[in-house]
């Protein structure tokens, strides 16, 4: 956030876009990975609320159907 704030002040960037996992998805990720609540808190602490910054949360839509097994090539088969 420090670097983002400096870039806004120096007019090196016009808009900041941060893509972070949602709070619900964040439970399944490692501890050090920020999630939406963390990103919002950091924006407030850095006093960037009035800056042109956009926060996007990514959510997992759940498990899908099982993928079909892929056959392995036998050791002596040449690829065509």
């Amino acid at each position: 956030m420090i670097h983002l704030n400096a870039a806004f002040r120096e007019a090196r960037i016009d808009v900041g876009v941060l893509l972070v996992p949602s709070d619900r998805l964040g439970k399944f990720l490692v501890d050090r990975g920020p999630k939406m609540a963390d990103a919002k808190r950091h924006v407030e602490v850095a006093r960037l609320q009035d800056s042109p910054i956009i926060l996007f949360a990514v959510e997992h839509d759940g498990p899908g159907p099982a993928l079909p097994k892929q056959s392995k090539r036998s050791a002596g088969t040449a690829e065509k």
Side-chain angles (χ1 to χ4, degrees), residues 2 4 10-12 17 24-26 30 32 34 36 39-40 43 45-46 58 65 67 69 71 73:
I2 294 168
L4 191 59
E10 297 166 5
R12 287 185 284 136
V17 177
R24 196 167 88 175
L25 178 61
V30 296
R32 296 178 58 123
M36 182 56 96
K40 287 179 180 179
V43 166
V45 169
V58 176
L67 298 174
K69 291 192 177 230
S71 62
R73 255 190 345 232

Side-chain angles (χ1 to χ4, degrees), residues 32-63:
R32 296 178 58 123
K35 54 185 184 260
M36 182 56 96
D38 301 326
K40 287 179 180 179
R41 188 176 65 248
H42 287 293
V43 166
E44 290 172 6
V45 169
R47 297 181 181 168
L48 291 172
Q49 297 97 322
D50 296 328
S51 298
I53 189 165
I54 301 168
L55 298 175
F56 282 107
V58 176
E59 179 68 48
H60 189 276
D61 61 355

Side-chain angles (χ1 to χ4, degrees), residues 13-14 17 21-23 25 34 40 68 75 77:
I13 61 172
D14 295 324
V17 177
S22 68
D23 292 333
L25 178 61
K40 287 179 180 179
T77 307

